[in-house]
Amino acid sequence: MFSLFIMDCLILLISILVSFEFVVDAGHPQNTAENAKLIPINGTRNFQLDVQNDHPEKPWIVQGRNYELHSQCVRKGRCEKISNSSVCFGSRLPYTHTSIHLTDYNSQEEIIERLLNYEALKYVPKCWQIVQPFLCAVFRPKCETINNEDYVYLPSLEMCKLAVEQCTLLVNTSFFPEFLKCNETLFPKNCKNDVREMKFTQKGQCLDPLVQADSPASYYQDIEGCGLRCKDPLYTDDEHLQINSLNKWGASLCFLCHLFFIITFIIDWKNANKYPAVIAFYVNLCYLFICAGFLAQFMAREDIVCRKDGTLRHSEPTAGQNLSCIFNFFLIYYFTIAAMVWYVILTYAWHLKASGKNQDKIEKKGSYFHLFAWSAPLILTITTMALSEIDGNSIVGICFVGYLNHPFRIYLLMVPLAFVIIGGGTFVVLGTRQLLKLKIYANDEKSTKVMSNIIVRMGLRSLFVWGLISVAILCQLNDSQNILLWGDNLREYIICKISTSHSDEQTVCKMNHRPSVAILQLELLCFYGSGLVMFSWCWTSSSIGAWKRYIRRKFGKEPEEVKMAKHKVIAKTYAKRKELEEEGRMSINFHDTHTDPVQLNFDVHYLNSAATNDISSTWACNLTKFIKRRNATADLAYKDTNASSCSRKNSQSGIMCFQQVSIEATSRRNSVDSQACPPSKKYKPTVFSLPKNLTPSPTFLYVY
């Protein structure tokens, strides 16, 4: 009996010893590196493990970088058997023991929970690819007993820096606590680590408002592999619809208005092609192309503002993309600048008219007008393309200059706008001042009314243009001042969404600072409003008359004729003085051309000439006196006989008198009858009849 008791005690003792040994083995790894040499690293707590290895490690190559890794690095710690799960980010760990001493956490359960939150980094694809082995090496490192002491294997400084470099967006957030900061105290240089041999299969993806990008040029700042989606996240879907609707109706209305203006000029081009009226034609032509650029988004919006990978276009032109954005930019930017220049030229030509400059002098400047108006915008357009400062705007639906780089927007857009305000305003003020002076000294009520109408038309339109441009500049300044704030707020919003994507916390991410859709609408209304102001030049009776004449011609009816003003008859006779000298006669057409559709071709010297258009026989007989004042027929031969109606005083001054003026018209009121001029008391006039082979015309005056 006693022997059996002794045997049971021995069995129990053996069982207890075996169980104790099992528990020890479960908590501590075997001593895998006896008599290993530990070399201190720069006086830190870290050691370089010098172990004889017949199979040297290969260099660590990551993203084309070659890292020479010498040996493994360790630090004293307490080893624990890996509990719960032996995987890290879906990949199995190649060891059985780990340590929590490289972190600030107290248990493996806390570390596993924290690693689940780090899976949010998969929304930063390039970061996720590099940071997985680094996080596993820190949160679940390999731990072994070396020389009868527990040591934790350390990741290298190079691994840490590479991970931080790819995760710049989140470096200064809670995702990177102090124990992950890259310094040689925590992470020695050139250290090998078994974690880098692990195969991580979880791939990264992009989180809205980011999308996967194909080209580095499309990457969002500090998030390689993802780019900002084409649809602007700073505006809501409802705001996108509002701007889209405004562009649709505004651009369509302006396009039709400018098209009507252009057609009005074309059907009456003979009368309309005169300065300064024709300048209004070129201004509206420019606006027509601009509106076409705005309307293009409704046919190919995605091609214009979006790249092939779904990101927003910026810094165009770029290789591998179609030219729709460049073409859209050219239509809008080039013709916007051209319209500005033409408007300044319009005010300048109006100033010349108001100053009494001859029409021929203004016409001679036409080639210079065209040279400057088309070449200056071309230079600015080429400069913008050379600097690659063309950006897409998804909410407006166009490509334009400096949406992201606002300093270039100031230089290439706002400076020309300021030039329009200063240059155009100066010429309008000078022209108005000149007309006001003439108005003060005008004796005729009708002349005063005509000048008042001219001043009001030009003044009001210029005032509207200045006001609209000024408001547009203020809107641009508001954008320039807040663009950085909006960009930082969007960045914080993206960080918030990534940080909370795998968190249990009920955090609502929102943007506190966004651009105002009302200001954007106001800016667009200023553009469309300025276009309608330019179109309003054709709100005249002359435009209606041009269409009436066009319709009459289409139905085979003779167009109405306009009587020539008396001052134009004199000017025309003066211009044909050489014909009178050479042939002894000349013909004058009493029918004048119609006024231009915008009624800008006025003459300050004869503003009331419409009241003196009736040609009487008395006026025709005194035509010689009017010609004499202009010295029109100097050095001509004359008859100093009794039959002559010229005085000797006139003959001495070399003036030839007209012996007879013959005219036949459709009505006696507007014609000169066939009577001769009243004879002089001293001289008996010689009467000449029309040649037999010459047929009088109702629209011509024949002078002999």
Side-chain angles (χ1 to χ4, degrees), residues 557-572:
K557 297 182 180 180
E558 289 293 330
E560 298 178 356
E561 296 177 335
V562 180
K563 296 173 293 183
M564 184 183 293
K566 292 180 180 179
H567 72 276
K568 291 188 177 182
V569 175
I570 299 173
K572 211 165 188 178

Side-chain angles (χ1 to χ4, degrees), residues 442-580:
N443 296 323
D444 184 75
E445 181 179 351
K446 189 168 185 178
S447 298
T448 303
K449 185 177 180 180
V450 171
M451 282 187 284
S452 298
N453 181 50
I454 295 172
I455 293 172
V456 169
R457 290 182 68 218
M458 193 65 183
L460 285 179
R461 284 169 174 80
S462 299
L463 184 63
F464 276 119
V465 170
W466 296 338
L468 294 170
I469 292 178
S470 299
V471 172
I473 290 178
L474 291 177
C475 293
Q476 293 293 327
L477 289 175
N478 176 73
D479 291 348
S480 300
Q481 291 177 351
N482 294 292
I483 185 68
L484 295 179
L485 177 63
W486 298 334
D488 293 340
N489 191 70
L490 176 60
R491 182 184 178 88
E492 293 173 1
Y493 172 74
I494 293 174
I495 292 174
C496 176
K497 290 200 67 175
I498 293 175
S499 303
T500 59
S501 59
H502 284 73
S503 176
D504 295 333
E505 301 177 2
Q506 298 298 324
T507 304
V508 178
C509 300
K510 61 180 181 179
M511 288 180 280
N512 298 320
H513 303 283
R514 299 190 305 112
S516 172
V517 68
I519 293 179
L520 179 58
Q521 288 174 329
L522 180 61
E523 184 179 347
L524 291 172
L525 286 174
C526 287
F527 163 72
Y528 295 131
S530 62
L532 293 177
V533 170
M534 293 297 104
F535 163 71
S536 67
W537 278 112
C538 72
W539 296 355
T540 63
S541 58
S542 299
S543 296
I544 299 175
W547 279 100
K548 286 182 178 179
R549 293 191 298 274
Y550 176 75
I551 295 173
R552 288 175 65 89
R553 288 196 302 268
K554 285 299 179 181
F555 284 95
K557 297 182 180 180
E558 289 293 330
E560 298 178 356
E561 296 177 335
V562 180
K563 296 173 293 183
M564 184 183 293
K566 292 180 180 179
H567 72 276
K568 291 188 177 182
V569 175
I570 299 173
K572 211 165 188 178
T573 307
Y574 176 77
K576 291 188 175 184
R577 62 188 182 277
K578 290 186 179 180
E579 179 183 340
L580 181 62

Side-chain angles (χ1 to χ4, degrees), residues 345-359:
I345 294 174
L346 174 64
T347 59
Y348 172 68
W350 185 81
H351 161 62
L352 294 180
K353 271 287 187 180
S355 301
K357 297 296 182 182
N358 189 280
Q359 180 69 24

Side-chain angles (χ1 to χ4, degrees), residues 507-704:
T507 304
V508 178
C509 300
K510 61 180 181 179
M511 288 180 280
N512 298 320
H513 303 283
R514 299 190 305 112
S516 172
V517 68
I519 293 179
L520 179 58
Q521 288 174 329
L522 180 61
E523 184 179 347
L524 291 172
L525 286 174
C526 287
F527 163 72
Y528 295 131
S530 62
L532 293 177
V533 170
M534 293 297 104
F535 163 71
S536 67
W537 278 112
C538 72
W539 296 355
T540 63
S541 58
S542 299
S543 296
I544 299 175
W547 279 100
K548 286 182 178 179
R549 293 191 298 274
Y550 176 75
I551 295 173
R552 288 175 65 89
R553 288 196 302 268
K554 285 299 179 181
F555 284 95
K557 297 182 180 180
E558 289 293 330
E560 298 178 356
E561 296 177 335
V562 180
K563 296 173 293 183
M564 184 183 293
K566 292 180 180 179
H567 72 276
K568 291 188 177 182
V569 175
I570 299 173
K572 211 165 188 178
T573 307
Y574 176 77
K576 291 188 175 184
R577 62 188 182 277
K578 290 186 179 180
E579 179 183 340
L580 181 62
E581 294 175 9
E582 296 173 357
E583 301 181 8
R585 68 179 184 182
M586 59 180 170
S587 60
I588 303 172
N589 190 345
F590 279 90
H591 287 175
D592 196 7
T593 57
H594 295 272
T595 57
D596 57 83
V598 296
Q599 292 182 352
L600 282 176
N601 192 24
F602 60 90
D603 192 337
V604 296
H605 299 298
Y606 304 102
L607 286 175
N608 61 337
S609 60
T612 61
N613 278 346
D614 291 342
I615 306 297
S616 65
S617 57
T618 304
W619 185 89
C621 290
N622 286 282
L623 181 60
T624 55
K625 296 181 180 179
F626 303 133
I627 304 304
K628 176 182 176 182
R629 289 179 190 172
R630 290 179 173 247
N631 197 22
T633 53
D635 300 327
L636 291 178
Y638 62 91
K639 279 188 177 182
D640 189 9
T641 63
N642 293 334
S644 176
S645 63
C646 301
S647 65
R648 293 186 178 276
K649 181 178 180 180
N650 290 341
S651 66
Q652 290 175 0
S653 62
I655 303 298
M656 176 183 178
C657 294
F658 295 157
Q659 306 303 324
Q660 179 175 338
V661 178
S662 299
I663 183 171
E664 180 179 275
T666 56
S667 66
R668 297 185 58 83
R669 179 185 176 188
N670 294 324
S671 64
V672 183
D673 54 16
S674 300
Q675 67 181 9
C677 298
S680 172
K681 293 181 180 179
K682 186 174 182 180
Y683 300 101
K684 182 179 180 181
T686 304
V687 180
F688 295 89
S689 59
L690 290 174
K692 293 181 179 180
N693 60 348
L694 184 61
T695 304
S697 170
T699 61
F700 283 86
L701 172 69
Y702 295 95
V703 181
Y704 294 87

Side-chain angles (χ1 to χ4, degrees), residues 285-419:
L285 182 64
C286 292
Y287 269 96
L288 185 72
F289 285 109
I290 298 171
C291 292
F294 272 87
L295 291 174
Q297 62 183 286
F298 300 105
M299 294 182 289
R301 186 187 187 91
E302 299 298 325
D303 287 339
I304 293 174
V305 298
C306 302
R307 289 178 172 168
K308 296 177 180 178
D309 56 8
T311 58
L312 183 68
R313 286 189 185 237
H314 62 87
S315 303
E316 294 287 325
T318 55
Q321 301 295 327
N322 58 48
L323 298 178
S324 57
C325 181
I326 303 299
F327 182 70
N328 183 261
F329 160 78
F330 180 84
L331 276 179
I332 297 176
Y333 180 76
Y334 175 81
F335 287 104
T336 296
I337 303 299
M340 295 179 190
V341 177
W342 274 119
Y343 177 74
V344 175
I345 294 174
L346 174 64
T347 59
Y348 172 68
W350 185 81
H351 161 62
L352 294 180
K353 271 287 187 180
S355 301
K357 297 296 182 182
N358 189 280
Q359 180 69 24
D360 292 338
K361 292 183 178 180
I362 301 177
E363 296 286 344
K364 290 179 180 178
K365 299 179 182 292
S367 57
Y368 297 103
F369 292 160
H370 281 275
L371 178 64
F372 184 67
W374 301 122
S375 61
L378 183 62
I379 293 173
L380 291 176
T381 302
I382 294 175
T383 301
T384 306
M385 295 174 63
L387 295 173
S388 297
E389 289 298 333
I390 304 172
D391 303 319
N393 188 320
S394 63
I395 188 168
V396 182
I398 64 171
C399 287
F400 207 63
V401 57
Y403 274 121
L404 300 180
N405 196 342
H406 268 250
F408 282 94
R409 192 173 180 86
I410 292 175
Y411 297 137
L412 297 172
L413 178 64
M414 296 176 65
V415 171
L417 286 174
F419 166 75

